[in-house]
Each structure stands twice: as structure tokens, then as C-alpha cells.
Amino acid sequence: MKRLAPELDSLIWTLVEKGNARAIEEFLARYPEMKQEVARRSLMVKGLKELKPEAAVEFAPPPFRPAEHVRYQRPTRMVYIVAALVLAALGVASFTVTYIALPKQVEAPVVEVEVPQADPETFAETGPPPKAQEPSFGELGPEDEQPIKTKAPTVQAPKAIAITIEDAPLHTVFDLIAAESGLQVIVAPGTPNPSIGVDYKQMTPLEILRDMGREHGFTPMDQGDGSIIIVPAVENGTSGRMRPRIPERPSQADRQDGRSLTGTN
Amino acid sequence: MERAKQGGFDEDSVLVERFLSGDRSSFEQLYSKYYDKVFAIARGILLDQDEAADAVQEVFTLVFRHLGRFDKRSRFSTWLFRIAVNRSIQEARKNRHKKRNVDLTEAVGKIAAEEPDTADPKIQAALAKLTPNDRALIVLFYWEELSLNDIASSLNCGVNAAKTRLYRARERFRVLYEGDEA
């Protein structure tokens, strides 16, 4: 069929849909060649409208029965809220269970280490005391003295001990101090071994040894690894033995006496 | 319903409010009032009376569940027709696969059996050949006699878009009806 101009085509549709007979007559009076087209479309529109189901039921509409299979097209806001709460609860529960199940880390025990106080008179120029070195004993005497060592120490924080002995060799007292404190006491050759009596309470091993050293002529040197080396306090130029070359600092008593273990004033 | 709207009194809005307040009988009134129209829309799109009856129940089920979401910016009938059109088109597409191998004459014959004897078989055949979307436009315009504004609201599109779609659907129908080659 020959295509009509859009305006004419639209006009014909409007006429046949409105169904105004007079308007159609006027249109055909103006466009008589459109008579068949108008008739064809009128028939089509009429047929379409007649095809509409009549108030399709003669009786009352069937009762309404909700169709259960009809799914929600879109969840309500409440669904989203509930879903969010459930997810949040699951997250919290998961975190809690994981936190409880994980093995707790054992906190490392805090080891209190007694740091020897620096003597400002001694270290003002040299700084902190140098780490004590192993004494070189050089030529050993006929006694074949070897450093007397107690059993291997267990490094632990120095604790105050109490020791009371009426009369015992000095080296025995060292052993007792070592046993009591858990430290290792190494006695250098040449350390005197007189019979002594001691009575100390609530003092650390190093404090006890220092006090004993001032009285009995030796110096305790804390190695920092749970061991203390006892070295004799040597008088200047009087000993025939090899002097252990130990960088050490004079004891407080010596300082007061104006002496130093190195033989220099 | 249209006369009531023009008179400034929207009976449908009153029934909707009553239903949302808990008056279940209000929904029954809406159901009775619009059953025929919804059935006609579903029937025109699905071309099958039984399928149309099922679709009507589904449409009103959706309305029953989601009436709280009706935002009242449009008329209730427009909102209802939108649901009816969408649901019917969905069903038509779903059933299309089932009916793909069915002879068209058989389908037309089935429609003819349900229609009055005065129905033009050429009209029925042309309608059956249209897509569900085109049938929806034809039905809304010629059966429900909705304006282009109402059709646009029912299809959730602009008026110009509705006008264009309607003209194209009508042209395709005309070609099929007159037997012209595309």
C-alpha cells in the first residue's frame, strides 16, 4: 500500500478512533480518494474494540486467592535492615570466637637487672665502666691454681639474700653465696682464703661480696651473665705472682685509702 | 472511576487508605471494581482466558502485598494497570517458549473458540502475531480507552515515548491485518 503522509495518516486514525460520522464525511468530501483507506481502518478499529472481552464474567468475579508462588519483586526496607543486622551479628560472633580461640601470648617476665651505679668520680672522664675481661693468669704457680668456679649460673635477677656464718673459709663462703643466689662465683687464683665469719641480711650477692672484699682484700666483678669473678686486691709491687691484667676500678675502700689495685695512686 | 476523579473525589484513594488502616473489605471492593479491566488487559496480552485468569490473581496478589508502597502520586488505576501490564508481559514471554511449536492457526482457533462469533478472525490472527508489548499498547488504547498520559504512566515512560510506541504498534497491527508485506 502506498504510504500516506504522516499528517494524513494521523488524521485518519483520529477520525476512525473517534468515530465521529460527520467529521468523517467532511474529511472524505475533501479527500475522496481516502474513502477505502478510511473504510479499512474503521473496520479494523471496530473489530479491535469488539474483540475486548465483555465484562468477561457474567457472574461476580471469582474470589480473590493470593497466589503464593508470586515472589516479591523487591524486598522491603525492613528486609535490608534485618539482613544488615544479621550480618553485623555474624561478624561480631566470628570475631569473638576467633579471639577466644587464639592462644594468648605469654607475657615475657620482666627481669629486673641491678644496674651498678656509676661512680661519678671514676667515670666522669671514661664513661661507663668497661666490660670486665677474662683475667689472664699467665704463668700458673706450683699450686696449679685454677679459677674456682661454681656450677653454671642461671641468669636471673639478683635478689637479696641472707647469709650467716660464724667461721668458715672465705672460698666456702663464696660457694654458699653462689648456692644461695644462683650465681656463678669464679675465684681467681691468688685470692686469699682466710677463715671468716659473716652475717648479712637482705643484701644482694654483689653487695655482700663487695663488702667482704673491702675487708678481706678482693674485688668482685659482676660479668652481667650471672657470674661474678673474684679477683684479689694486689698490693703494689709486693707480689711475686703474675698480676692479672684486669681493667678494673678501685674499690671504694681503696679509693678512700688512696690506693688502686693497679698499684697506682 | 474517571467520573469520580473528575468530581474531585477519588474513591480509590479512600479504599486504599482504609485497607492500609486494616480494613480488609476495602481490598475486596477494589478487587471487584477492577477485576474486569485487569482481566481484559491480561487477556489481550496473553490471548488465553485461563492464563489471563491466573495472571489476574497474581496481579492482585502483588497489589495486596505491596499496596503500602503505592505512593499516591498517580491514580490507583494507573498503578494497577502498570502491574497488570508488566505481569502479563512476563507471563507471555515465559509461555512463549512453551507455545513456540504450536501452530498459529491452532492458537487462533483456540482464541476464536473463546470469543463471540462476531469477532473478526483477521483481527484475532493479527493480534496473535504481535509481540506482547505491542498487544499491551493496543489493549490499553483500544480496550481500556486510556489517554496517552495514562498509557505513559502505566508503561512508566514519557508521553511522547508512549505516543511513538502506540503508533508503531498500531502500524504493525495494520500491516498484519491487511496482509501487507513489512
Side-chain angles (χ1 to χ4, degrees):
Chain A
M1 189 193 93
K2 185 180 176 180
R3 253 188 169 342
L4 298 175
E7 298 80 12
L8 194 59
D9 182 78
S10 177
L11 181 59
I12 293 176
W13 279 119
T14 302
L15 287 172
V16 300
E17 286 163 3
K18 294 289 184 186
N20 189 322
R22 183 171 179 178
I24 292 175
E25 279 182 23
E26 291 178 359
F27 175 78
L28 289 177
R30 196 168 192 181
Y31 300 96
E33 69 278 14
M34 293 290 109
K35 187 174 182 180
Q36 284 189 351
E37 185 63 28
V38 171
R40 215 171 14 240
R41 294 191 185 188
S42 295
L43 197 63
M44 186 184 78
V45 171
K46 180 172 176 289
L48 259 176
K49 290 184 178 181
E50 287 177 352
L51 197 60
K52 175 184 177 181
E54 296 262 343
V57 290
E58 294 179 357
F59 309 101
F64 171 59
R65 292 191 187 88
E68 296 300 329
H69 66 279
V70 173
R71 292 180 297 175
Y72 284 107
Q73 294 178 349
R74 188 176 57 188
T76 62
R77 186 181 302 178
M78 184 56 65
V79 173
Y80 289 124
I81 294 174
V82 171
L85 290 175
V86 169
L87 285 175
L90 283 175
V92 171
S94 174
F95 174 80
T96 304
V97 169
T98 304
Y99 181 78
I100 293 173
L102 280 176
K104 290 182 173 52
Q105 294 181 357
V106 178
E107 295 181 358
V110 176
V111 177
E112 295 182 0
V113 178
E114 181 180 335
V115 178
Q117 298 295 324
D119 187 344
E121 294 182 3
T122 307
F123 300 109
E125 295 180 1
T126 61
K131 189 171 182 180
Q133 301 175 1
E134 284 287 334
S136 72
F137 298 108
E139 181 181 351
L140 298 177
E143 296 81 7
D144 194 20
E145 293 180 338
Q146 295 289 335
I148 302 173
K149 296 185 179 182
T150 58
K151 65 179 179 180
T154 56
V155 180
Q156 54 184 330
K159 58 178 181 180
I161 60 174
I163 183 166
T164 303
I165 299 175
E166 289 187 2
D167 186 18
L170 179 62
H171 292 191
T172 303
V173 176
F174 292 154
D175 292 339
L176 292 173
I177 292 172
E180 188 70 20
S181 64
L183 297 173
Q184 182 181 18
V185 178
I186 304 170
V187 182
T191 305
N193 192 21
S195 293
I196 62 171
V198 296
D199 183 16
Y200 295 100
K201 289 182 175 56
Q202 295 302 316
M203 291 177 66
T204 65
L206 190 61
E207 291 172 345
I208 295 173
L209 290 171
R210 283 175 177 168
D211 189 72
M212 290 171 58
R214 284 188 286 270
E215 187 174 349
H216 302 293
F218 65 87
T219 300
M221 300 178 64
D222 188 7
Q223 302 301 293
D225 59 353
S227 63
I228 298 175
I229 297 177
I230 306 295
V231 296
V234 179
E235 293 183 1
N236 297 336
T238 58
S239 173
R241 298 174 184 268
M242 289 291 294
R243 300 172 188 166
R245 288 182 295 164
I246 302 170
E248 57 191 9
R249 56 187 176 94
S251 65
Q252 189 173 356
D254 290 337
R255 286 195 298 274
Q256 290 175 349
D257 295 341
R259 293 182 295 164
S260 72
L261 294 177
T262 58
T264 60
N265 289 336
Chain B
M1 185 271 299
E2 298 293 334
R3 288 192 292 273
K5 179 63 176 175
Q6 292 171 2
F9 174 72
D10 189 355
E11 181 188 19
D12 294 344
S13 297
V14 174
L15 292 173
V16 169
E17 289 297 327
R18 286 180 182 172
F19 172 75
L20 294 177
S21 300
D23 181 10
R24 299 291 286 262
S25 66
S26 299
F27 182 81
E28 295 291 339
Q29 295 183 51
L30 289 171
Y31 175 77
S32 300
K33 180 177 178 180
Y34 285 104
Y35 180 89
D36 285 342
K37 290 182 180 293
V38 175
F39 179 84
I41 293 172
R43 176 68 177 75
I45 296 174
L46 294 167
L47 301 176
D48 182 273
Q49 189 159 327
D50 295 332
E51 291 178 6
D54 293 339
V56 170
Q57 295 297 327
E58 293 174 0
V59 167
F60 279 101
T61 299
L62 290 171
V63 171
F64 180 81
R65 289 178 179 173
H66 299 290
L67 196 52
R69 289 198 211 161
F70 174 50
D71 58 9
K72 304 179 184 64
R73 284 185 295 181
S74 60
R75 289 197 301 270
F76 170 79
S77 60
T78 304
W79 184 68
L80 174 63
F81 292 162
R82 186 187 308 169
I83 296 174
V85 168
N86 290 337
R87 192 69 192 185
S88 299
I89 290 175
Q90 284 180 11
E91 288 298 316
R93 288 172 179 165
K94 192 166 60 176
N95 296 336
R96 180 182 59 190
H97 300 287
K98 298 178 186 175
K99 293 181 179 177
R100 187 165 289 171
N101 295 326
V102 175
D103 187 20
L104 183 60
T105 55
E106 181 181 339
V108 172
K110 184 179 181 186
I111 299 169
E114 297 169 349
E115 300 300 333
D117 294 337
T118 56
D120 187 348
K122 286 177 62 177
I123 296 288
Q124 297 170 358
L127 207 59
K129 292 177 185 178
L130 287 177
T131 63
N133 286 23
D134 285 346
R135 282 202 295 271
L137 286 156
I138 296 293
V139 163
L140 291 176
F141 188 75
Y142 288 105
W143 290 6
E144 301 306 317
E145 297 181 341
L146 297 185
S147 64
L148 285 175
N149 283 332
D150 291 339
I151 292 175
S153 298
S154 296
L155 298 180
N156 198 25
C157 66
V159 176
N160 288 335
K163 183 177 179 180
T164 302
R165 290 187 197 178
L166 174 62
Y167 284 0
R168 289 175 180 171
R170 183 170 55 191
E171 184 61 23
R172 285 190 277 265
F173 177 80
R174 187 188 66 77
V175 170
L176 291 169
Y177 173 73
E178 295 176 355
D180 291 341
E181 295 294 328

